[in-house]
Amino acid sequence: MKILILGSGGREYSIGRAIKNENVEHELFFQPGNGATDNLGTNLDINNYDELADFAKENEIELTIVGPEAPLVDGVVDIFKKEGLTIFGPSKEAAQLEGSKVYMKNFLAKYNIPTARYIESDSIEDLFKFTNTLSAPIVVKADGLCGGKGVIIAQSHDEAKKAISEMLSGKSFGDAGKKVIVEEFLDGYELSMFAVCDGEDYILLPAAQDHKRLLDGDEGPNTGGMGAYAPTPLVDEELYQKVRDRIIRPTLDGMQKEGAPFEGVLFIGIMVVDGEPITLEFNVRFGDPECEILMPLMTSPLSDMFYKAATNRLGEIQVEFSKEYAVGVVMASENYPYGSSTPAEIIVDEVHHEAIAKYTHISYAGVTKDDDKLYATGGRVLVCIGLGETIKEARDRAYLRCGQVHFAGKKLRTDIAYQAL
Ligand code: AMP
Ligand code: GLY
């Protein structure tokens, strides 16, 4: 198949890599891709969605897979579908589950899907009034997309009110903060679950755990994610079933009733409180770095799953997963997540150890290529992934691989998967 992948991160690299590893030959295109995806296919430079759809038609692209949320919220799926192209991802309307937290919370409330008690409003009086009924910590969220920064966990009522005022005035997040959500703080452990959906049917992938904070022991600022592992032993069959019955099924049925059937990846951020799964948030795409550890656990052909999902035929296939565990450790650049960093050449040692060659690999993200050399160009640079029969084995292998990657200012957590060990 000829397949186009939208995005430039480790997530998109890992999807491309997994498709390349299938038994069948595929031709891959990335828009825009990164300095390493051009080893898997062809990087494009077409920033306009209409022009991209023209490219897809002219080049007989059979399937387009959308990685990040921004093109989804912009409506790239609607544009491609109007041209009769096959594309995997939610419509602009369905992408509001991520694009607007107000839409998401009101949807959850309407269909009785468990979530934290909340109020959404643009009135400072109403928001303050509800804040006064809660005890600290108090969670304050901006409605729109804020690059993962729109959630404040306030440690006092004063701090919560300051966050509310600064969001409403546009000072913190511009228009994304015009509406604000205040909600109760949930105390439990967090999970990421991913359902690949075709509007009606879905395939639930093994549950993962992300590590959002920059530093060991979950200290330091929030990031896009510094590492992940799956499957997590923190989930048993009963919990999976609760997520299926109480969250995924009613969400797919509800979105049909809303006239916006959900196709694509439903990423459910879950807080488990006293054994009960509560929905923290929805995203409408794979998590990054969760995608990088889930892709190597899929033993059925990935391109077929995405194609079937994009053509509303998921019910026809069975998807199998490896019995192994995967651990991914993110290596970020010096100034992440605060600012940009000076490009630094990446040197990867040659792998001699057989187990390391066989059970580890690298997914590249913030890299460019110049003269056949790879440079770390900021943000999250790459993810070292280890596979193993136990989480410990997978983690040890991932860290052995990390030791073989060198660039100036490299930064990584040393405790990924600690909650499972
Ligand atoms: P969100 O973007 O809504 O997932 O929020 C980002 C992070 O804030 C989540 O991953 C949680 O760690 C935290 N968070 C969000 N909502 C709550 C809540 N109601 N209670 C506790 N933590 C929360
Ligand atoms: N790793 C969390 C996210 O992709 O949003």
Side-chain angles (χ1 to χ4, degrees), residues 11 210 212 224-225 267 281 283 285-290 380:
R11 168 178 51 206
D210 187 14
K212 290 208 165 104
F267 167 172
E281 63 160 347
N283 295 305
R285 46 149 181 105
F286 275 117
D288 190 342
E290 291 96 323
R380 293 180 290 171

Side-chain angles (χ1 to χ4, degrees), residues 166-346:
E166 291 184 354
M167 283 185 193
L168 284 180
S169 72
K171 188 176 162 201
S172 322
F173 304 112
D175 280 355
K178 279 200 162 149
K179 275 196 166 184
V180 171
I181 289 164
V182 174
E183 68 180 33
E184 65 176 338
F185 178 82
L186 299 173
D187 198 5
Y189 61 90
E190 256 183 279
L191 299 172
S192 309
M193 286 213 209
F194 299 88
V196 172
C197 308
D198 74 355
E200 205 175 317
D201 291 316
Y202 68 93
I203 288 163
L204 183 58
L205 307 190
Q209 239 189 348
D210 187 14
H211 298 66
K212 290 208 165 104
R213 302 295 199 96
L214 181 69
L215 305 173
D216 284 2
D218 294 327
E219 304 274 349
N222 258 327
T223 70
M226 293 299 291
Y229 72 96
T232 165
L234 302 172
V235 180
D236 57 15
E237 245 343 285
E238 195 185 338
L239 192 61
Y240 275 118
Q241 201 55 45
K242 285 179 181 170
V243 172
R244 287 174 177 280
D245 296 344
R246 297 180 193 171
I247 302 176
I248 304 175
R249 191 69 265 161
T251 296
L252 291 184
D253 293 349
M255 289 304 279
Q256 283 197 339
K257 287 195 189 115
E258 296 296 311
F262 189 86
E263 303 174 17
V265 178
L266 184 68
F267 167 172
I268 313 154
I270 294 169
M271 188 73 86
V272 182
V273 183
D274 298 328
E276 305 301 326
I278 317 281
T279 316
L280 278 182
E281 63 160 347
F282 283 142
N283 295 305
V284 297
R285 46 149 181 105
F286 275 117
D288 190 342
E290 291 96 323
C291 188
E292 288 92 311
I293 50 147
L294 290 171
M295 292 303 104
L297 293 177
M298 313 276 307
T299 47
S300 308
L302 200 62
S303 58
D304 188 47
M305 178 177 75
F306 289 138
Y307 189 79
K308 290 286 186 334
T311 51
N312 312 101
R313 287 156 56 202
L314 267 187
E316 292 174 16
I317 58 167
Q318 292 286 335
V319 172
E320 315 241 329
F321 305 101
S322 155
K323 299 265 179 296
E324 294 177 298
Y325 293 89
V327 174
V329 180
V330 170
M331 299 180 85
S333 51
E334 192 169 10
N335 298 326
Y336 183 73
Y338 303 107
S340 55
S341 308
T342 321
E345 190 183 345
I346 303 171

Side-chain angles (χ1 to χ4, degrees), residues 359-384:
Y359 295 109
T360 75
H361 65 270
I362 299 173
S363 246
Y364 290 96
V367 299
T368 51
K369 194 190 264 179
D370 190 14
D371 230 7
D372 259 356
K373 288 182 184 160
L374 269 190
Y375 290 85
T377 44
R380 293 180 290 171
V381 174
L382 54 85
V383 187
C384 289

